[in-house]
Amino acid sequence: FEFVAPELNIYGANGETWHISAARGSSTHGSDTVILNEDVHIEHRVNQHAPTVVVTPDKLIVHPQDKTADSDAPVTIRY
């Protein structure tokens, strides 16, 4: 499957949310693996008192069922 402007929310064990978006994406093996490309943007905030962490990789491979992601591309992390 191919996606235009996909958005994902991954929920951690403590209720924290990772919001992930990109310009393009695709899915392999059903929804087991989602590959995001172009303008990938990840936002994570542990709680309302913590700063938002912003991660911007060039490419991201998301495994929604495992609640994990990885990248073999450069990644920028900002607080």
Side-chain angles (χ1 to χ4, degrees):
F1 297 101
E2 298 289 324
F3 307 105
V4 176
E7 293 191 28
L8 303 165
N9 286 316
I10 306 286
Y11 300 96
N14 296 327
E16 72 273 10
T17 303
W18 293 81
H19 179 75
I20 306 169
S21 61
R24 294 185 314 110
S26 61
S27 176
T28 59
H29 310 293
S31 62
D32 290 343
T33 303
V34 177
I35 301 167
L36 302 175
N37 295 294
E38 295 180 24
D39 298 322
V40 179
H41 188 89
I42 305 164
E43 288 189 9
H44 174 65
R45 190 171 184 185
V46 176
N47 63 51
Q48 63 184 358
H49 304 292
T52 300
V53 176
V54 178
V55 182
T56 53
D58 292 335
K59 176 182 177 182
L60 187 69
I61 302 168
V62 181
H63 310 280
Q65 280 71 26
D66 297 335
K67 297 182 182 180
T68 63
D70 57 73
S71 181
D72 56 1
V75 173
T76 301
I77 301 172
R78 294 179 292 139
Y79 290 90

